[in-house]
Amino acid sequence: MTTSPALPKTNDLGFYEMRFESVGGLGANLAGQILAEALVLKQGLNGAHFSSYGSEKKGSPVKSYIRLCAPDREVRSNSPIERPHLLAIFHQCLLKTEGVTAGLFPDSIVLVNSTDPIDQVRYRARLVSGTLGVVDATGIAVEFNTRINAAMLGAVCRVAGFIDAAAVKDAIAGSFQSKYPKLVDANLKTFDRAYEKVQVKELAADARFAGAPAEPHVSYYHALGYANAPVGGIILNPGNTAHKDLSASRQGIFPLFHRDRCIDCGLCTQTCPDYVFVWEKGRDKRSQPAMVLTGPNLQYCKGCLKCVRICPVNALTEECEKPEFKYTADAQLWGPPDALITMSREGDPAKWAADEGNYWHRVS
Ligand code: SF4
Ligand code: SF4
């Protein structure tokens, strides 16, 4: 065991606290567990890790907490972390969700998985000050065929400044070695790539964000008591029935359907846990009447990619959600109730960068 590192800052109780905001399936719980293991067992700090998740289902909200202190202190607090020194957001769409950036200190570190430029992320997160890290964890994970938790761990190590990357890599290897030994190397490469690629910026205080949504949460969450606790049983952030923008419940990855390759075998439909695939009456290759697949209705897809793995002819491929894919879902954005509109794009990556090749297609 190495000498335990000094924590860069602590709260009134002597804790350095981290919160991971995520979506079920991205591996935030495992990431927190691995990080805590590295910091406690390999770096000699004292600490605790725990997560909160609702239905334990891919696509549902997940929060993972890591609480650290000096080795001579005891961790006697088991409450959720409301004021994080380090906040890692595993999916940029979560920035739209109430309370995700709640409770930041003026000098907290925020890390966001995003492909957007760092200033744009700061603007969307409405960060008043602190340090911001941005990493394309989804893209890195797709490149190495891993989950984004290893990428986020690499970036967390880099932005935190006191975490020993070698200790975390040891813990990653230990975690995968017994059950999935073939995945060890890919996860370590994912970690390294994110460690190297994360962009970091110190944020000068910006008056534009004074009074921004993140700020009231500081006092709101910090001073909760019998007099001001919210009434139970009320959904403060109801679902978005107007825009049907459920992007925060997908994982930043989705199946792209290639009609020209599909043989209408139906395996994807049998495999999809959420009955996402849509069929209609049509003609098969011999022009006989048949049911044909029109593709997944991404409004209801959570990005688990089981369909991609099962398709025998590669008619479904794994894609990262990109800014131009903001509304990958068949989303009723405006117009009469049955006016569904789908955003799609042409298959030329050169055009995507120039923001060409996208078109709105009226489904009905
Ligand atoms: S599994 Fe593939 S080939 Fe079969 S119906 Fe689905 S998309 Fe088409
Ligand atoms: S369509 Fe594919 S990725 Fe989406 S929920 Fe169904 S199986 Fe998962």
Side-chain angles (χ1 to χ4, degrees), residues 257-259 261-269 277 279 293 307 310-316:
F257 179 52
H258 305 269
R259 178 59 249 173
R261 301 178 198 163
C262 177
I263 55 173
D264 297 316
C265 69
L267 282 173
C268 53
T269 305
F277 288 89
W279 294 74
L293 182 62
C307 56
I310 200 76
C311 179
V313 291
N314 211 23
L316 292 157

Side-chain angles (χ1 to χ4, degrees), residues 271-331:
T271 306
C272 176
D274 282 19
Y275 305 112
V276 164
F277 288 89
V278 180
W279 294 74
E280 65 180 16
K281 285 182 183 170
R283 301 260 165 196
D284 64 16
K285 292 205 164 76
R286 290 169 296 171
S287 294
Q288 296 300 311
M291 295 302 288
V292 294
L293 182 62
T294 63
N297 183 339
L298 296 170
Q299 175 78 32
Y300 306 107
C301 171
K302 61 192 177 191
C304 69
L305 301 182
K306 286 177 194 277
C307 56
V308 172
R309 314 270 181 261
I310 200 76
C311 179
V313 291
N314 211 23
L316 292 157
T317 51
E318 178 178 353
E319 287 276 327
C320 287
E321 289 188 2
K322 300 231 166 39
E324 67 267 26
F325 259 32
K326 198 168 169 189
Y327 298 105
T328 44
D330 286 345

Side-chain angles (χ1 to χ4, degrees), residues 39-96:
L39 286 158
V40 173
L41 300 182
K42 299 179 192 295
Q43 285 198 257
L45 289 163
N46 204 358
H49 162 256
F50 51 98
S51 296
S52 72
Y53 24 71
S55 55
E56 239 184 300
K57 183 174 183 286
K58 284 187 176 178
S60 59
V62 171
K63 291 175 194 285
S64 189
Y65 307 106
I66 300 152
R67 180 168 278 135
L68 301 167
C69 59
D72 56 350
R73 295 183 74 94
E74 288 184 26
V75 183
R76 286 180 169 252
S77 171
N78 297 309
S79 58
I81 288 168
E82 292 171 350
R83 303 215 64 193
H85 296 99
L86 190 152
L87 172 70
I89 299 172
F90 278 48
H91 185 342
Q92 64 176 349
C93 288
L94 289 171
L95 287 173
K96 293 179 280 189

